[in-house]
Amino acid sequence: MATRSIKEVARLARVSVGTVSNVLNRPEIVAPATRARVFDAIRELGFVRNEVARHLRVGRSRTVGLVVLDVANPFFADVAQGAEALADEHDTMVVLCNSGTDPNRERRHLDQLEQQRVMGILITPVDAGSPRLADLAARGTPVVLVDSAATGLQCSVAVDDRLGGQIAAAHLIERGHRRIAFVGGPPSIKQVADRRAGAAGAVEAAGGVELLDASMPMLSAAAGRAAGERVAALPPAERPTAALCANDLLALGFLQAMAACGLSVPGDMAIVGYDDIDFAAAAAVPLSSVRQPRELLGRTAVELLLEEVAHPERHRHRQVIFQPDLVVRESSALRRRD
Amino acid sequence: MATRSIKEVARLARVSVGTVSNVLNRPEIVAPATRARVFDAIRELGFVRNEVARHLRVGRSRTVGLVVLDVANPFFADVAQGAEALADEHDTMVVLCNSGTDPNRERRHLDQLEQQRVMGILITPVDAGSPRLADLAARGTPVVLVDSAATGLQCSVAVDDRLGGQIAAAHLIERGHRRIAFVGGPPSIKQVADRRAGAAGAVEAAGGVELLDASMPMLSAAAGRAAGERVAALPPAERPTAALCANDLLALGFLQAMAACGLSVPGDMAIVGYDDIDFAAAAAVPLSSVRQPRELLGRTAVELLLEEVAHPERHRHRQVIFQPDLVVRESSALRRRD
DNA sequence: AGATCGTTTTGAATCGACTCAAGCTGCGGT
DNA sequence: ACCGCAGCTTGAGTCGATTCAAAACGATCT
């Protein structure tokens, strides 16, 4: 329970606290003999620098918060790994916070992170328009939006979701599908809305194709199963022949529902997912999916943040946008006779 | 960039800093009129309490660190969700840190967490025997081992891995398999070693059964694929007829390799995984797997930690052990003729 | 008016580490 | 013997919030 402070180290080493601080921060300016004495004292006491006190003076910590919509979604795990990789190189710690698409939990996490004076926050917001984010930036905590485009008030890294939705829908249309279900999530989530808009665009451009909505209030596999059951229950004549899912968890759930309801994939129902998480390729029927550069997204977010922190004055907010691409697998392999 | 302090609030509200602090912490003892003036000032300045300074005085923050071996493994995502659920109820924040089974990264995360004076640390250690963990506890940061039993120096929550390994192996033996491959991970990881020991026990008890080792240096799907390719390359006579994988990621990779090599599952090769992550049921061939109470593991870990923090004196370290159970699915469904 | 008591408010001390101007030492040069 | 200087070390002041003994206030009673 003994919490040692710099003062005790100083006493044991028979030097002043200033010297101990120097040993810790600029060892080269301390005489070797003194330095050795201080190190001995540190070892003997098991002293650990109190970052709390340190950053009180210094102002900000070397921690960045990454707030994600769902830790259970491997997409975010991969984004986190990308972020961690670059942060590590800059001696910075990434802490992962899970909002679970709940605005209240998101707010509490943001409060906590701001109160802790983290170096910056990377966030995939539940609601990108929330003034809370602008406030944060205004009060001095840099924010980078992840997987969601900003309006100029902050940096952002994103993937072109409209384009992703469009190529996915275009692919299904090209395969001969004329009734396509869009399986989305909560309407407040921007990514989902954009993917849907992209799909709608492709449908309109094609002509003679219908886009039905089968959205759920969540973006989980369980929600996907529920959506699948609903769609499977439709009379065959009205039932869509393809589903475009807003993420792979939904798609996997949807796929399971098809199997449970005795519909074949892709024969009776083609499926395209989104994110191309590793499990998509390993599914019962390997899933076609829109691939996003997941690690790169996280890595770039940290890059932008470090840039902003390093030169707050001359920094200009940037919006980086990556291109998605479609990976076609068995779940949408068949060509439908028109 | 304006970081408002309690002092500025005090000036604007024309009271002393002590009063502002009282408004923040014990509003009931402040006269209503004064309280209102202070709140107005807080709102006007957009003041946010600096937790760093606060905890310098108070000692510890209301954050617990959860250090996991692999964020990309859904098993840990579920543990994290269990931990978060209970922590939330106690107004405590969980931050997730990823060691990626790298002892160095683990050490850096622990250093950071200790320096930040977190309330406590939940960890699935790369090496449970490391003195670093005992040091932490000795210096006043409570530690709870997750998914790994402790020796009495700290609390722990775990699942009986020997039993898990044993029932998995017994199941395969009962299904008629006589050559079983154990696909493990790095030998330092205790869970893996225990599962293997359990399997070895079952094999020995049965007699006439061989346990081959096909361990990899990682616990990822990619490692599983590599292991699968190696095993598939063996001449059919020497090739095991079943694989027991130390976790589901390995099992999924192994399964993919079987498909790629033209071996049927479970016909040519039965597979049993471990953890029963959600994706196991959705795999190309639904995976049999040893189920662990994932959320409960996280929840209980937080419970033990809160207990220790609340009554440091009277606290006695506890080791909680849960029982795993086997979920049989298609990947090990067939009975082999002897 | 003065004493008394309860309610509010005050402000100095404190937590641990950092910074920096000022002080100390010892050495070489004159 | 004295000066200058480089190399080290010192210690007071600071960051922002909390705590708590003491002061201020105001209402009530004699």
Side-chain angles (χ1 to χ4, degrees):
Chain A
M1 190 42 220
T3 303
R4 284 38 173 80
S5 78
I6 207 178
K7 221 180 277 177
E8 299 179 56
V9 174
R11 180 146 37 83
L12 181 59
R14 324 196 91 250
V15 297
S16 73
V17 295
T19 299
V20 178
S21 179
N22 281 336
V23 169
L24 260 25
N25 301 296
R26 307 192 272 313
E28 69 283 0
I29 74 159
V30 177
T34 317
R35 201 193 307 153
R37 251 192 6 260
V38 173
F39 276 132
D40 285 349
I42 288 177
R43 193 149 353 96
E44 187 169 335
L45 292 175
F47 165 80
V48 176
R49 213 224 247 86
N50 186 337
E51 284 292 303
V52 171
R54 167 172 228 227
H55 292 134
L56 170 58
R57 193 99 226 301
V58 168
R60 296 215 160 253
S61 76
R62 290 211 65 81
T63 297
V64 332
L66 170 55
V67 184
V68 302
L69 291 175
D70 180 10
V71 262
N73 186 341
F75 169 75
F76 289 111
D78 292 339
V79 171
Q81 287 194 319
E84 272 197 314
L86 183 56
D88 252 27
E89 294 170 20
H90 293 264
D91 198 30
T92 296
M93 183 173 180
V94 174
V95 301
L96 250 180
C97 305
N98 182 32
S99 71
T101 72
D102 173 348
N104 286 320
R105 280 184 53 166
E106 176 181 289
R107 191 181 37 69
R108 288 170 61 188
H109 275 302
L110 290 176
D111 287 351
Q112 276 267 15
L113 290 169
E114 182 176 21
Q115 287 174 1
Q116 295 194 359
R117 299 295 192 270
V118 293
M119 187 170 122
I121 295 177
L122 314 180
I123 180 173
T124 303
V126 177
D127 168 14
S130 156
R132 186 77 185 74
L133 294 173
D135 286 358
L136 273 174
R139 284 198 295 263
T141 302
V143 173
V144 176
L145 298 188
V146 177
D147 196 33
S148 150
T151 49
L153 287 162
Q154 53 247 327
C155 287
S156 66
V157 292
V159 178
D160 189 336
D161 283 315
R162 294 182 80 101
L163 177 58
Q166 188 200 311
I167 56 181
H171 161 69
L172 288 171
I173 294 167
E174 185 269 334
R175 284 291 200 259
H177 296 280
R178 292 295 171 261
R179 298 171 70 81
I180 302 176
F182 180 82
V183 184
S188 67
I189 310 244
K190 184 101 182 334
Q191 292 91 312
V192 176
D194 285 350
R195 290 167 198 178
R196 178 170 220 284
V203 163
E204 199 144 333
V209 180
E210 237 182 317
L211 189 66
L212 297 87
D213 194 273
S215 289
M216 304 300 295
M218 302 258 297
L219 287 164
S220 62
R225 274 193 295 275
E229 282 158 17
R230 236 173 45 195
V231 169
L234 293 174
E238 290 176 32
R239 194 192 301 140
T241 61
L244 174 46
C245 300
N247 79 10
D248 281 345
L249 294 182
L250 284 171
L252 287 169
F254 198 93
L255 173 61
Q256 287 179 286
M258 291 305 105
C261 298
L263 294 180
S264 85
V265 174
D268 299 320
M269 177 75 65
I271 301 178
V272 174
Y274 209 108
D275 290 344
D276 193 30
I277 61 178
D278 289 339
F279 299 105
V285 179
L287 274 183
S288 299
S289 191
V290 177
R291 178 168 51 197
Q292 315 201 61
R294 303 179 297 258
E295 284 91 351
L296 187 57
L297 220 43
R299 172 171 269 273
T300 308
V302 170
E303 195 176 319
L304 290 174
L305 181 66
L306 290 172
E307 209 175 288
E308 177 164 359
V309 170
H311 316 288
E313 312 310 328
R314 101 167 89 112
H315 178 82
R316 304 262 308 128
H317 293 311
R318 287 199 287 146
Q319 278 75 46
V320 177
I321 299 190
F322 295 106
Q323 304 300 313
D325 59 351
L326 180 70
V327 181
V328 178
R329 298 202 183 84
E330 219 179 300
S331 73
S332 66
L334 284 187
R335 169 155 212 95
R336 232 182 154 70
R337 51 172 183 32
D338 318 27
Chain B
M1 191 39 220
T3 303
R4 284 36 174 81
S5 77
I6 208 177
K7 222 181 276 178
E8 300 179 57
V9 173
R11 180 146 37 84
L12 181 60
R14 325 196 89 250
V15 297
S16 73
V17 295
T19 300
V20 177
S21 179
N22 281 335
V23 169
L24 259 24
N25 299 297
R26 307 191 270 315
E28 68 284 359
I29 74 158
V30 178
T34 318
R35 202 193 307 154
R37 247 185 18 255
V38 172
F39 276 132
D40 286 349
I42 287 177
R43 194 153 347 98
E44 188 169 334
L45 292 174
F47 165 81
V48 176
R49 213 224 247 88
N50 185 336
E51 283 293 303
V52 171
R54 167 171 227 227
H55 293 135
L56 170 57
R57 195 97 226 299
V58 168
R60 297 218 157 251
S61 76
R62 289 211 65 80
T63 297
V64 331
L66 169 55
V67 184
V68 302
L69 291 174
D70 180 11
V71 263
N73 185 342
F75 170 76
F76 289 111
D78 292 339
V79 171
Q81 287 194 319
E84 272 197 315
L86 183 56
D88 252 28
E89 294 170 20
H90 293 265
D91 198 30
T92 296
M93 184 173 180
V94 174
V95 302
L96 250 179
C97 305
N98 183 30
S99 70
T101 72
D102 173 348
N104 287 320
R105 280 185 52 165
E106 176 180 289
R107 191 180 39 68
R108 288 172 60 187
H109 275 301
L110 290 176
D111 286 351
Q112 277 267 16
L113 290 171
E114 182 175 22
Q115 287 172 359
Q116 294 192 359
R117 299 295 193 266
V118 293
M119 187 171 122
I121 296 177
L122 314 179
I123 181 173
T124 304
V126 177
D127 168 14
S130 156
R132 187 77 185 76
L133 294 173
D135 286 358
L136 273 174
R139 284 197 295 262
T141 303
V143 172
V144 176
L145 299 188
V146 177
D147 196 33
S148 150
T151 48
L153 287 162
Q154 54 246 326
C155 286
S156 66
V157 292
V159 178
D160 189 336
D161 282 315
R162 295 183 78 101
L163 178 58
Q166 188 200 312
I167 57 182
H171 161 70
L172 288 171
I173 294 167
E174 185 271 334
R175 284 291 200 261
H177 296 281
R178 292 294 171 263
R179 298 172 69 81
I180 302 176
F182 181 82
V183 184
S188 68
I189 310 243
K190 184 102 184 333
Q191 292 91 312
V192 176
D194 284 350
R195 290 167 198 178
R196 177 172 222 283
V203 163
E204 198 143 335
V209 180
E210 235 182 318
L211 189 67
L212 298 87
D213 194 273
S215 289
M216 304 300 295
M218 301 258 299
L219 286 163
S220 62
R225 274 193 294 276
E229 282 158 17
R230 235 175 43 195
V231 169
L234 293 173
E238 291 175 32
R239 195 192 300 140
T241 61
L244 174 45
C245 300
N247 78 10
D248 281 346
L249 294 182
L250 284 171
L252 286 169
F254 198 93
L255 172 62
Q256 288 179 286
M258 292 305 106
C261 298
L263 294 181
S264 85
V265 174
D268 299 321
M269 178 75 63
I271 300 179
V272 175
Y274 209 108
D275 290 345
D276 192 29
I277 62 177
D278 289 339
F279 299 106
V285 179
L287 273 184
S288 299
S289 191
V290 177
R291 178 167 51 197
Q292 315 201 60
R294 303 179 296 258
E295 285 91 351
L296 186 57
L297 221 42
R299 172 172 269 274
T300 308
V302 170
E303 195 177 318
L304 290 174
L305 181 65
L306 290 172
E307 210 175 287
E308 177 164 0
V309 170
H311 314 289
E313 312 309 328
R314 103 166 86 112
H315 178 81
R316 302 262 308 128
H317 292 311
R318 288 199 287 145
Q319 278 75 47
V320 177
I321 298 190
F322 294 106
Q323 304 300 314
D325 60 350
L326 180 70
V327 181
V328 177
R329 298 202 184 84
E330 218 179 300
S331 73
S332 66
L334 284 187
R335 170 157 210 93
R336 230 182 155 72
R337 49 164 185 38
D338 317 28

